[in-house]
PDB file of all heavy atoms in Angstrom:
ATOM      1  N   VAL M 285      95.740 104.563  80.912  1.00 88.00           N
ATOM      2  CA  VAL M 285      94.588 103.687  80.688  1.00 88.00           C
ATOM      3  C   VAL M 285      93.369 104.112  81.502  1.00 88.00           C
ATOM      4  O   VAL M 285      92.243 104.042  81.021  1.00 88.00           O
ATOM      5  CB  VAL M 285      94.962 102.222  81.011  1.00 88.00           C
ATOM      6  CG1 VAL M 285      93.761 101.313  80.890  1.00 88.00           C
ATOM      7  CG2 VAL M 285      96.094 101.748  80.108  1.00 88.00           C
ATOM      8  N   LEU M 286      93.587 104.569  82.714  1.00 89.00           N
ATOM      9  CA  LEU M 286      92.473 104.838  83.611  1.00 89.00           C
ATOM     10  C   LEU M 286      92.115 106.317  83.660  1.00 89.00           C
ATOM     11  O   LEU M 286      92.971 107.186  83.557  1.00 89.00           O
ATOM     12  CB  LEU M 286      92.829 104.383  85.032  1.00 89.00           C
ATOM     13  CG  LEU M 286      93.099 102.891  85.219  1.00 89.00           C
ATOM     14  CD1 LEU M 286      93.460 102.609  86.674  1.00 89.00           C
ATOM     15  CD2 LEU M 286      91.926 102.042  84.784  1.00 89.00           C
ATOM     16  N   GLY M 287      90.853 106.551  83.881  1.00 88.00           N
ATOM     17  CA  GLY M 287      90.402 107.904  84.142  1.00 88.00           C
ATOM     18  C   GLY M 287      90.817 108.329  85.543  1.00 88.00           C
ATOM     19  O   GLY M 287      91.307 107.522  86.344  1.00 88.00           O
ATOM     20  N   ARG M 288      90.593 109.582  85.843  1.00 90.00           N
ATOM     21  CA  ARG M 288      91.021 110.176  87.111  1.00 90.00           C
ATOM     22  C   ARG M 288      90.510 109.399  88.317  1.00 90.00           C
ATOM     23  O   ARG M 288      91.280 109.022  89.206  1.00 90.00           O
ATOM     24  CB  ARG M 288      90.546 111.622  87.166  1.00 90.00           C
ATOM     25  CG  ARG M 288      90.869 112.339  88.460  1.00 90.00           C
ATOM     26  CD  ARG M 288      90.255 113.757  88.440  1.00 90.00           C
ATOM     27  NE  ARG M 288      90.650 114.522  89.589  1.00 90.00           N
ATOM     28  CZ  ARG M 288      89.991 114.542  90.741  1.00 90.00           C
ATOM     29  NH1 ARG M 288      88.886 113.833  90.884  1.00 90.00           N
ATOM     30  NH2 ARG M 288      90.428 115.280  91.740  1.00 90.00           N
ATOM     31  N   ASP M 289      89.207 109.172  88.389  1.00 91.00           N
ATOM     32  CA  ASP M 289      88.621 108.532  89.568  1.00 91.00           C
ATOM     33  C   ASP M 289      89.099 107.091  89.734  1.00 91.00           C
ATOM     34  O   ASP M 289      89.389 106.649  90.848  1.00 91.00           O
ATOM     35  CB  ASP M 289      87.095 108.588  89.511  1.00 91.00           C
ATOM     36  CG  ASP M 289      86.566 110.013  89.698  1.00 91.00           C
ATOM     37  OD1 ASP M 289      87.352 110.884  90.141  1.00 91.00           O
ATOM     38  OD2 ASP M 289      85.386 110.245  89.388  1.00 91.00           O
ATOM     39  N   ASP M 290      89.190 106.346  88.625  1.00 93.00           N
ATOM     40  CA  ASP M 290      89.694 104.974  88.708  1.00 93.00           C
ATOM     41  C   ASP M 290      91.157 104.953  89.150  1.00 93.00           C
ATOM     42  O   ASP M 290      91.558 104.117  89.966  1.00 93.00           O
ATOM     43  CB  ASP M 290      89.559 104.249  87.364  1.00 93.00           C
ATOM     44  CG  ASP M 290      88.140 103.793  87.076  1.00 93.00           C
ATOM     45  OD1 ASP M 290      87.326 103.734  88.019  1.00 93.00           O
ATOM     46  OD2 ASP M 290      87.856 103.487  85.900  1.00 93.00           O
ATOM     47  N   ALA M 291      91.949 105.869  88.614  1.00 92.00           N
ATOM     48  CA  ALA M 291      93.362 105.940  89.004  1.00 92.00           C
ATOM     49  C   ALA M 291      93.491 106.231  90.498  1.00 92.00           C
ATOM     50  O   ALA M 291      94.298 105.615  91.197  1.00 92.00           O
ATOM     51  CB  ALA M 291      94.085 107.002  88.184  1.00 92.00           C
ATOM     52  N   LEU M 292      92.674 107.155  91.002  1.00 93.00           N
ATOM     53  CA  LEU M 292      92.716 107.486  92.426  1.00 93.00           C
ATOM     54  C   LEU M 292      92.265 106.305  93.282  1.00 93.00           C
ATOM     55  O   LEU M 292      92.825 106.053  94.353  1.00 93.00           O
ATOM     56  CB  LEU M 292      91.871 108.723  92.713  1.00 93.00           C
ATOM     57  CG  LEU M 292      92.406 110.033  92.120  1.00 93.00           C
ATOM     58  CD1 LEU M 292      91.390 111.163  92.314  1.00 93.00           C
ATOM     59  CD2 LEU M 292      93.756 110.392  92.718  1.00 93.00           C
ATOM     60  N   THR M 293      91.278 105.558  92.807  1.00 93.00           N
ATOM     61  CA  THR M 293      90.810 104.375  93.525  1.00 93.00           C
ATOM     62  C   THR M 293      91.924 103.342  93.622  1.00 93.00           C
ATOM     63  O   THR M 293      92.163 102.760  94.686  1.00 93.00           O
ATOM     64  CB  THR M 293      89.569 103.767  92.834  1.00 93.00           C
ATOM     65  OG1 THR M 293      88.518 104.735  92.871  1.00 93.00           O
ATOM     66  CG2 THR M 293      89.123 102.476  93.496  1.00 93.00           C
ATOM     67  N   VAL M 294      92.608 103.108  92.513  1.00 93.00           N
ATOM     68  CA  VAL M 294      93.711 102.140  92.508  1.00 93.00           C
ATOM     69  C   VAL M 294      94.820 102.598  93.449  1.00 93.00           C
ATOM     70  O   VAL M 294      95.353 101.806  94.237  1.00 93.00           O
ATOM     71  CB  VAL M 294      94.258 101.941  91.072  1.00 93.00           C
ATOM     72  CG1 VAL M 294      95.573 101.178  91.080  1.00 93.00           C
ATOM     73  CG2 VAL M 294      93.228 101.221  90.204  1.00 93.00           C
ATOM     74  N   LEU M 295      95.168 103.861  93.393  1.00 94.00           N
ATOM     75  CA  LEU M 295      96.229 104.374  94.257  1.00 94.00           C
ATOM     76  C   LEU M 295      95.845 104.285  95.737  1.00 94.00           C
ATOM     77  O   LEU M 295      96.679 103.937  96.581  1.00 94.00           O
ATOM     78  CB  LEU M 295      96.579 105.815  93.880  1.00 94.00           C
ATOM     79  CG  LEU M 295      97.355 105.938  92.571  1.00 94.00           C
ATOM     80  CD1 LEU M 295      97.366 107.381  92.096  1.00 94.00           C
ATOM     81  CD2 LEU M 295      98.765 105.406  92.726  1.00 94.00           C
ATOM     82  N   ASP M 296      94.590 104.584  96.056  1.00 95.00           N
ATOM     83  CA  ASP M 296      94.128 104.440  97.444  1.00 95.00           C
ATOM     84  C   ASP M 296      94.258 102.987  97.909  1.00 95.00           C
ATOM     85  O   ASP M 296      94.690 102.718  99.031  1.00 95.00           O
ATOM     86  CB  ASP M 296      92.675 104.895  97.591  1.00 95.00           C
ATOM     87  CG  ASP M 296      92.519 106.409  97.639  1.00 95.00           C
ATOM     88  OD1 ASP M 296      93.515 107.111  97.944  1.00 95.00           O
ATOM     89  OD2 ASP M 296      91.401 106.891  97.374  1.00 95.00           O
ATOM     90  N   ARG M 297      93.871 102.063  97.045  1.00 94.00           N
ATOM     91  CA  ARG M 297      93.983 100.636  97.382  1.00 94.00           C
ATOM     92  C   ARG M 297      95.441 100.261  97.623  1.00 94.00           C
ATOM     93  O   ARG M 297      95.777  99.603  98.611  1.00 94.00           O
ATOM     94  CB  ARG M 297      93.394  99.784  96.261  1.00 94.00           C
ATOM     95  CG  ARG M 297      93.477  98.278  96.549  1.00 94.00           C
ATOM     96  CD  ARG M 297      93.084  97.441  95.357  1.00 94.00           C
ATOM     97  NE  ARG M 297      94.079  97.616  94.306  1.00 94.00           N
ATOM     98  CZ  ARG M 297      93.800  97.592  93.003  1.00 94.00           C
ATOM     99  NH1 ARG M 297      92.565  97.421  92.576  1.00 94.00           N
ATOM    100  NH2 ARG M 297      94.753  97.743  92.119  1.00 94.00           N
ATOM    101  N   GLU M 298      96.325 100.700  96.732  1.00 93.00           N
ATOM    102  CA  GLU M 298      97.745 100.377  96.876  1.00 93.00           C
ATOM    103  C   GLU M 298      98.322 100.989  98.148  1.00 93.00           C
ATOM    104  O   GLU M 298      99.117 100.356  98.840  1.00 93.00           O
ATOM    105  CB  GLU M 298      98.532 100.840  95.653  1.00 93.00           C
ATOM    106  CG  GLU M 298      98.200 100.055  94.388  1.00 93.00           C
ATOM    107  CD  GLU M 298      98.401  98.560  94.546  1.00 93.00           C
ATOM    108  OE1 GLU M 298      99.532  98.134  94.869  1.00 93.00           O
ATOM    109  OE2 GLU M 298      97.422  97.812  94.377  1.00 93.00           O
ATOM    110  N   MET M 299      97.915 102.214  98.458  1.00 94.00           N
ATOM    111  CA  MET M 299      98.394 102.837  99.701  1.00 94.00           C
ATOM    112  C   MET M 299      97.978 102.012 100.919  1.00 94.00           C
ATOM    113  O   MET M 299      98.767 101.852 101.852  1.00 94.00           O
ATOM    114  CB  MET M 299      97.891 104.276  99.816  1.00 94.00           C
ATOM    115  CG  MET M 299      98.645 105.224  98.907  1.00 94.00           C
ATOM    116  SD  MET M 299      98.211 106.957  99.148  1.00 94.00           S
ATOM    117  CE  MET M 299      98.940 107.283 100.744  1.00 94.00           C
ATOM    118  N   GLY M 300      96.772 101.489 100.893  1.00 95.00           N
ATOM    119  CA  GLY M 300      96.322 100.644 101.997  1.00 95.00           C
ATOM    120  C   GLY M 300      97.193  99.405 102.149  1.00 95.00           C
ATOM    121  O   GLY M 300      97.544  99.011 103.274  1.00 95.00           O
ATOM    122  N   VAL M 301      97.548  98.800 101.035  1.00 93.00           N
ATOM    123  CA  VAL M 301      98.409  97.610 101.070  1.00 93.00           C
ATOM    124  C   VAL M 301      99.786  97.972 101.616  1.00 93.00           C
ATOM    125  O   VAL M 301     100.319  97.292 102.496  1.00 93.00           O
ATOM    126  CB  VAL M 301      98.529  96.980  99.661  1.00 93.00           C
ATOM    127  CG1 VAL M 301      99.611  95.909  99.617  1.00 93.00           C
ATOM    128  CG2 VAL M 301      97.189  96.411  99.221  1.00 93.00           C
ATOM    129  N   TRP M 302     100.366  99.051 101.095  1.00 93.00           N
ATOM    130  CA  TRP M 302     101.709  99.439 101.545  1.00 93.00           C
ATOM    131  C   TRP M 302     101.722  99.881 103.004  1.00 93.00           C
ATOM    132  O   TRP M 302     102.687  99.623 103.723  1.00 93.00           O
ATOM    133  CB  TRP M 302     102.291 100.514 100.636  1.00 93.00           C
ATOM    134  CG  TRP M 302     102.559 100.007  99.249  1.00 93.00           C
ATOM    135  CD1 TRP M 302     103.020  98.766  98.893  1.00 93.00           C
ATOM    136  CD2 TRP M 302     102.360 100.701  98.029  1.00 93.00           C
ATOM    137  NE1 TRP M 302     103.123  98.661  97.538  1.00 93.00           N
ATOM    138  CE2 TRP M 302     102.720  99.839  96.972  1.00 93.00           C
ATOM    139  CE3 TRP M 302     101.912 101.980  97.717  1.00 93.00           C
ATOM    140  CZ2 TRP M 302     102.659 100.208  95.636  1.00 93.00           C
ATOM    141  CZ3 TRP M 302     101.851 102.349  96.380  1.00 93.00           C
ATOM    142  CH2 TRP M 302     102.220 101.467  95.360  1.00 93.00           C
ATOM    143  N   GLU M 303     100.664 100.546 103.445  1.00 96.00           N
ATOM    144  CA  GLU M 303     100.582 100.924 104.857  1.00 96.00           C
ATOM    145  C   GLU M 303     100.498  99.688 105.749  1.00 96.00           C
ATOM    146  O   GLU M 303     101.152  99.617 106.791  1.00 96.00           O
ATOM    147  CB  GLU M 303      99.386 101.844 105.099  1.00 96.00           C
ATOM    148  CG  GLU M 303      99.604 103.242 104.575  1.00 96.00           C
ATOM    149  CD  GLU M 303      98.345 104.105 104.573  1.00 96.00           C
ATOM    150  OE1 GLU M 303      97.239 103.570 104.795  1.00 96.00           O
ATOM    151  OE2 GLU M 303      98.485 105.321 104.341  1.00 96.00           O
ATOM    152  N   ALA M 304      99.698  98.711 105.337  1.00 94.00           N
ATOM    153  CA  ALA M 304      99.573  97.479 106.117  1.00 94.00           C
ATOM    154  C   ALA M 304     100.897  96.707 106.120  1.00 94.00           C
ATOM    155  O   ALA M 304     101.319  96.197 107.172  1.00 94.00           O
ATOM    156  CB  ALA M 304      98.449  96.608 105.555  1.00 94.00           C
ATOM    157  N   ASN M 305     101.540  96.630 104.968  1.00 90.00           N
ATOM    158  CA  ASN M 305     102.842  95.950 104.896  1.00 90.00           C
ATOM    159  C   ASN M 305     103.862  96.635 105.803  1.00 90.00           C
ATOM    160  O   ASN M 305     104.587  95.982 106.547  1.00 90.00           O
ATOM    161  CB  ASN M 305     103.380  95.932 103.468  1.00 90.00           C
ATOM    162  CG  ASN M 305     102.664  94.970 102.572  1.00 90.00           C
ATOM    163  OD1 ASN M 305     101.931  94.092 103.022  1.00 90.00           O
ATOM    164  ND2 ASN M 305     102.852  95.122 101.284  1.00 90.00           N
ATOM    165  N   ARG M 306     103.918  97.960 105.711  1.00 93.00           N
ATOM    166  CA  ARG M 306     104.876  98.709 106.526  1.00 93.00           C
ATOM    167  C   ARG M 306     104.598  98.477 108.007  1.00 93.00           C
ATOM    168  O   ARG M 306     105.520  98.251 108.792  1.00 93.00           O
ATOM    169  CB  ARG M 306     104.814 100.191 106.204  1.00 93.00           C
ATOM    170  CG  ARG M 306     105.818 101.014 107.037  1.00 93.00           C
ATOM    171  CD  ARG M 306     105.678 102.473 106.836  1.00 93.00           C
ATOM    172  NE  ARG M 306     104.326 102.902 107.200  1.00 93.00           N
ATOM    173  CZ  ARG M 306     103.872 104.118 107.050  1.00 93.00           C
ATOM    174  NH1 ARG M 306     104.624 105.060 106.527  1.00 93.00           N
ATOM    175  NH2 ARG M 306     102.650 104.443 107.403  1.00 93.00           N
ATOM    176  N   ALA M 307     103.334  98.518 108.399  1.00 94.00           N
ATOM    177  CA  ALA M 307     102.979  98.319 109.808  1.00 94.00           C
ATOM    178  C   ALA M 307     103.374  96.920 110.280  1.00 94.00           C
ATOM    179  O   ALA M 307     103.915  96.764 111.389  1.00 94.00           O
ATOM    180  CB  ALA M 307     101.483  98.550 110.013  1.00 94.00           C
ATOM    181  N   ALA M 308     103.119  95.914 109.470  1.00 90.00           N
ATOM    182  CA  ALA M 308     103.476  94.539 109.853  1.00 90.00           C
ATOM    183  C   ALA M 308     104.991  94.386 109.964  1.00 90.00           C
ATOM    184  O   ALA M 308     105.495  93.761 110.906  1.00 90.00           O
ATOM    185  CB  ALA M 308     102.905  93.549 108.840  1.00 90.00           C
ATOM    186  N   LEU M 309     105.711  94.953 109.014  1.00 90.00           N
ATOM    187  CA  LEU M 309     107.168  94.879 109.066  1.00 90.00           C
ATOM    188  C   LEU M 309     107.715  95.630 110.270  1.00 90.00           C
ATOM    189  O   LEU M 309     108.616  95.145 110.963  1.00 90.00           O
ATOM    190  CB  LEU M 309     107.774  95.427 107.771  1.00 90.00           C
ATOM    191  CG  LEU M 309     107.550  94.584 106.525  1.00 90.00           C
ATOM    192  CD1 LEU M 309     107.888  95.386 105.270  1.00 90.00           C
ATOM    193  CD2 LEU M 309     108.360  93.299 106.588  1.00 90.00           C
ATOM    194  N   GLN M 310     107.162  96.797 110.540  1.00 93.00           N
ATOM    195  CA  GLN M 310     107.614  97.586 111.683  1.00 93.00           C
ATOM    196  C   GLN M 310     107.327  96.852 112.988  1.00 93.00           C
ATOM    197  O   GLN M 310     108.139  96.882 113.913  1.00 93.00           O
ATOM    198  CB  GLN M 310     106.958  98.971 111.683  1.00 93.00           C
ATOM    199  CG  GLN M 310     107.524  99.905 112.718  1.00 93.00           C
ATOM    200  CD  GLN M 310     109.006 100.185 112.525  1.00 93.00           C
ATOM    201  OE1 GLN M 310     109.420 100.614 111.459  1.00 93.00           O
ATOM    202  NE2 GLN M 310     109.801  99.914 113.540  1.00 93.00           N
ATOM    203  N   GLU M 311     106.193  96.188 113.055  1.00 92.00           N
ATOM    204  CA  GLU M 311     105.867  95.404 114.246  1.00 92.00           C
ATOM    205  C   GLU M 311     106.908  94.314 114.461  1.00 92.00           C
ATOM    206  O   GLU M 311     107.356  94.071 115.586  1.00 92.00           O
ATOM    207  CB  GLU M 311     104.471  94.782 114.109  1.00 92.00           C
ATOM    208  CG  GLU M 311     104.036  93.978 115.305  1.00 92.00           C
ATOM    209  CD  GLU M 311     102.650  93.367 115.121  1.00 92.00           C
ATOM    210  OE1 GLU M 311     101.857  93.886 114.331  1.00 92.00           O
ATOM    211  OE2 GLU M 311     102.385  92.359 115.802  1.00 92.00           O
ATOM    212  N   GLY M 312     107.317  93.654 113.370  1.00 88.00           N
ATOM    213  CA  GLY M 312     108.368  92.640 113.473  1.00 88.00           C
ATOM    214  C   GLY M 312     109.679  93.229 113.949  1.00 88.00           C
ATOM    215  O   GLY M 312     110.376  92.634 114.783  1.00 88.00           O
ATOM    216  N   LEU M 313     110.012  94.416 113.436  1.00 90.00           N
ATOM    217  CA  LEU M 313     111.243  95.083 113.882  1.00 90.00           C
ATOM    218  C   LEU M 313     111.164  95.458 115.357  1.00 90.00           C
ATOM    219  O   LEU M 313     112.140  95.309 116.103  1.00 90.00           O
ATOM    220  CB  LEU M 313     111.483  96.354 113.065  1.00 90.00           C
ATOM    221  CG  LEU M 313     112.184  96.199 111.734  1.00 90.00           C
ATOM    222  CD1 LEU M 313     112.318  97.557 111.054  1.00 90.00           C
ATOM    223  CD2 LEU M 313     113.533  95.541 111.888  1.00 90.00           C
ATOM    224  N   ASP M 314     110.004  95.957 115.772  1.00 93.00           N
ATOM    225  CA  ASP M 314     109.836  96.343 117.174  1.00 93.00           C
ATOM    226  C   ASP M 314     110.010  95.133 118.096  1.00 93.00           C
ATOM    227  O   ASP M 314     110.631  95.230 119.150  1.00 93.00           O
ATOM    228  CB  ASP M 314     108.472  96.989 117.400  1.00 93.00           C
ATOM    229  CG  ASP M 314     108.340  98.341 116.695  1.00 93.00           C
ATOM    230  OD1 ASP M 314     109.373  98.911 116.280  1.00 93.00           O
ATOM    231  OD2 ASP M 314     107.184  98.806 116.536  1.00 93.00           O
ATOM    232  N   LYS M 315     109.491  93.979 117.669  1.00 90.00           N
ATOM    233  CA  LYS M 315     109.633  92.759 118.475  1.00 90.00           C
ATOM    234  C   LYS M 315     111.079  92.289 118.500  1.00 90.00           C
ATOM    235  O   LYS M 315     111.545  91.741 119.498  1.00 90.00           O
ATOM    236  CB  LYS M 315     108.735  91.647 117.914  1.00 90.00           C
ATOM    237  CG  LYS M 315     107.278  91.858 118.187  1.00 90.00           C
ATOM    238  CD  LYS M 315     106.441  90.739 117.593  1.00 90.00           C
ATOM    239  CE  LYS M 315     104.961  90.987 117.822  1.00 90.00           C
ATOM    240  NZ  LYS M 315     104.141  89.954 117.175  1.00 90.00           N
ATOM    241  N   ALA M 316     111.799  92.499 117.395  1.00 88.00           N
ATOM    242  CA  ALA M 316     113.187  92.057 117.305  1.00 88.00           C
ATOM    243  C   ALA M 316     114.131  92.950 118.100  1.00 88.00           C
ATOM    244  O   ALA M 316     115.208  92.502 118.515  1.00 88.00           O
ATOM    245  CB  ALA M 316     113.625  92.017 115.842  1.00 88.00           C
ATOM    246  N   GLU M 317     113.717  94.193 118.329  1.00 87.00           N
ATOM    247  CA  GLU M 317     114.588  95.145 119.022  1.00 87.00           C
ATOM    248  C   GLU M 317     114.935  94.624 120.414  1.00 87.00           C
ATOM    249  O   GLU M 317     114.073  94.244 121.197  1.00 87.00           O
ATOM    250  CB  GLU M 317     113.902  96.508 119.136  1.00 87.00           C
ATOM    251  CG  GLU M 317     114.832  97.589 119.625  1.00 87.00           C
ATOM    252  CD  GLU M 317     114.170  98.956 119.605  1.00 87.00           C
ATOM    253  OE1 GLU M 317     113.258  99.167 118.790  1.00 87.00           O
ATOM    254  OE2 GLU M 317     114.574  99.794 120.419  1.00 87.00           O
ATOM    255  N   GLY M 318     116.201  94.582 120.687  1.00 87.00           N
ATOM    256  CA  GLY M 318     116.677  94.115 121.979  1.00 87.00           C
ATOM    257  C   GLY M 318     116.881  92.614 122.054  1.00 87.00           C
ATOM    258  O   GLY M 318     117.531  92.127 122.971  1.00 87.00           O
ATOM    259  N   THR M 319     116.305  91.864 121.118  1.00 93.00           N
ATOM    260  CA  THR M 319     116.491  90.415 121.131  1.00 93.00           C
ATOM    261  C   THR M 319     117.388  89.941 120.001  1.00 93.00           C
ATOM    262  O   THR M 319     117.920  88.846 120.059  1.00 93.00           O
ATOM    263  CB  THR M 319     115.142  89.670 121.028  1.00 93.00           C
ATOM    264  OG1 THR M 319     114.523  89.987 119.786  1.00 93.00           O
ATOM    265  CG2 THR M 319     114.225  90.045 122.186  1.00 93.00           C
ATOM    266  N   MET M 320     117.545  90.759 118.971  1.00 90.00           N
ATOM    267  CA  MET M 320     118.393  90.410 117.824  1.00 90.00           C
ATOM    268  C   MET M 320     119.428  91.505 117.618  1.00 90.00           C
ATOM    269  O   MET M 320     119.126  92.681 117.819  1.00 90.00           O
ATOM    270  CB  MET M 320     117.561  90.273 116.547  1.00 90.00           C
ATOM    271  CG  MET M 320     116.594  89.151 116.527  1.00 90.00           C
ATOM    272  SD  MET M 320     115.712  89.144 114.935  1.00 90.00           S
ATOM    273  CE  MET M 320     114.876  87.595 115.043  1.00 90.00           C
ATOM    274  N   PRO M 321     120.616  91.123 117.186  1.00 91.00           N
ATOM    275  CA  PRO M 321     121.608  92.163 116.901  1.00 91.00           C
ATOM    276  C   PRO M 321     121.177  93.006 115.699  1.00 91.00           C
ATOM    277  O   PRO M 321     120.438  92.527 114.830  1.00 91.00           O
ATOM    278  CB  PRO M 321     122.881  91.370 116.595  1.00 91.00           C
ATOM    279  CG  PRO M 321     122.444  89.982 116.305  1.00 91.00           C
ATOM    280  CD  PRO M 321     121.120  89.777 116.964  1.00 91.00           C
ATOM    281  N   PRO M 322     121.604  94.263 115.631  1.00 89.00           N
ATOM    282  CA  PRO M 322     121.164  95.148 114.557  1.00 89.00           C
ATOM    283  C   PRO M 322     121.615  94.698 113.168  1.00 89.00           C
ATOM    284  O   PRO M 322     121.050  95.144 112.178  1.00 89.00           O
ATOM    285  CB  PRO M 322     121.757  96.507 114.919  1.00 89.00           C
ATOM    286  CG  PRO M 322     122.770  96.242 115.959  1.00 89.00           C
ATOM    287  CD  PRO M 322     122.453  94.929 116.591  1.00 89.00           C
ATOM    288  N   ASP M 323     122.595  93.805 113.092  1.00 89.00           N
ATOM    289  CA  ASP M 323     123.033  93.315 111.783  1.00 89.00           C
ATOM    290  C   ASP M 323     122.497  91.912 111.480  1.00 89.00           C
ATOM    291  O   ASP M 323     122.937  91.259 110.543  1.00 89.00           O
ATOM    292  CB  ASP M 323     124.559  93.346 111.667  1.00 89.00           C
ATOM    293  CG  ASP M 323     125.238  92.406 112.645  1.00 89.00           C
ATOM    294  OD1 ASP M 323     124.593  91.959 113.621  1.00 89.00           O
ATOM    295  OD2 ASP M 323     126.429  92.122 112.437  1.00 89.00           O
ATOM    296  N   ASP M 324     121.506  91.461 112.245  1.00 87.00           N
ATOM    297  CA  ASP M 324     120.858  90.181 111.965  1.00 87.00           C
ATOM    298  C   ASP M 324     120.196  90.254 110.600  1.00 87.00           C
ATOM    299  O   ASP M 324     119.608  91.281 110.239  1.00 87.00           O
ATOM    300  CB  ASP M 324     119.800  89.897 113.040  1.00 87.00           C
ATOM    301  CG  ASP M 324     119.099  88.577 112.803  1.00 87.00           C
ATOM    302  OD1 ASP M 324     119.620  87.559 113.283  1.00 87.00           O
ATOM    303  OD2 ASP M 324     118.042  88.583 112.137  1.00 87.00           O
ATOM    304  N   PRO M 325     120.280  89.197 109.792  1.00 82.00           N
ATOM    305  CA  PRO M 325     119.681  89.230 108.444  1.00 82.00           C
ATOM    306  C   PRO M 325     118.201  89.594 108.451  1.00 82.00           C
ATOM    307  O   PRO M 325     117.734  90.326 107.584  1.00 82.00           O
ATOM    308  CB  PRO M 325     119.885  87.816 107.910  1.00 82.00           C
ATOM    309  CG  PRO M 325     121.008  87.259 108.708  1.00 82.00           C
ATOM    310  CD  PRO M 325     120.968  87.937 110.043  1.00 82.00           C
ATOM    311  N   TYR M 326     117.455  89.099 109.421  1.00 82.00           N
ATOM    312  CA  TYR M 326     116.039  89.431 109.509  1.00 82.00           C
ATOM    313  C   TYR M 326     115.862  90.930 109.720  1.00 82.00           C
ATOM    314  O   TYR M 326     115.033  91.568 109.084  1.00 82.00           O
ATOM    315  CB  TYR M 326     115.361  88.643 110.636  1.00 82.00           C
ATOM    316  CG  TYR M 326     113.944  89.096 110.898  1.00 82.00           C
ATOM    317  CD1 TYR M 326     112.904  88.643 110.092  1.00 82.00           C
ATOM    318  CD2 TYR M 326     113.656  89.999 111.915  1.00 82.00           C
ATOM    319  CE1 TYR M 326     111.602  89.077 110.309  1.00 82.00           C
ATOM    320  CE2 TYR M 326     112.363  90.428 112.129  1.00 82.00           C
ATOM    321  CZ  TYR M 326     111.340  89.970 111.332  1.00 82.00           C
ATOM    322  OH  TYR M 326     110.066  90.403 111.541  1.00 82.00           O
ATOM    323  N   VAL M 327     116.646  91.500 110.618  1.00 88.00           N
ATOM    324  CA  VAL M 327     116.548  92.927 110.918  1.00 88.00           C
ATOM    325  C   VAL M 327     116.917  93.748 109.681  1.00 88.00           C
ATOM    326  O   VAL M 327     116.216  94.706 109.327  1.00 88.00           O
ATOM    327  CB  VAL M 327     117.442  93.302 112.126  1.00 88.00           C
ATOM    328  CG1 VAL M 327     117.497  94.805 112.326  1.00 88.00           C
ATOM    329  CG2 VAL M 327     116.932  92.610 113.393  1.00 88.00           C
ATOM    330  N   LEU M 328     118.002  93.380 109.022  1.00 89.00           N
ATOM    331  CA  LEU M 328     118.428  94.126 107.832  1.00 89.00           C
ATOM    332  C   LEU M 328     117.380  94.058 106.722  1.00 89.00           C
ATOM    333  O   LEU M 328     117.020  95.081 106.128  1.00 89.00           O
ATOM    334  CB  LEU M 328     119.770  93.593 107.325  1.00 89.00           C
ATOM    335  CG  LEU M 328     120.961  93.774 108.271  1.00 89.00           C
ATOM    336  CD1 LEU M 328     122.198  93.116 107.687  1.00 89.00           C
ATOM    337  CD2 LEU M 328     121.206  95.238 108.576  1.00 89.00           C
TER     338      LEU M 328
END
């Protein structure tokens, strides 16, 4: 559906979302480290 530039714009936007999500999730994991067991449902 999209031309090259529009497709790249959409992909850049999505990468930003996924990078932010990954960073937030990783931050939660880092905070949980040492306070939650590795098989805690939140950690998994």
Side-chain angles (χ1 to χ4, degrees):
V285 176
L286 298 179
R288 177 184 186 271
D289 290 345
D290 283 343
L292 292 173
T293 298
V294 168
L295 287 166
D296 282 340
R297 180 188 67 213
E298 292 304 302
M299 284 187 71
V301 169
W302 293 323
E303 286 170 349
N305 286 345
R306 180 186 59 185
L309 291 166
Q310 188 61 55
E311 181 181 336
L313 276 179
D314 293 345
K315 287 179 182 176
E317 190 175 333
T319 63
M320 294 180 170
D323 64 343
D324 180 87
Y326 172 81
V327 172
L328 296 176

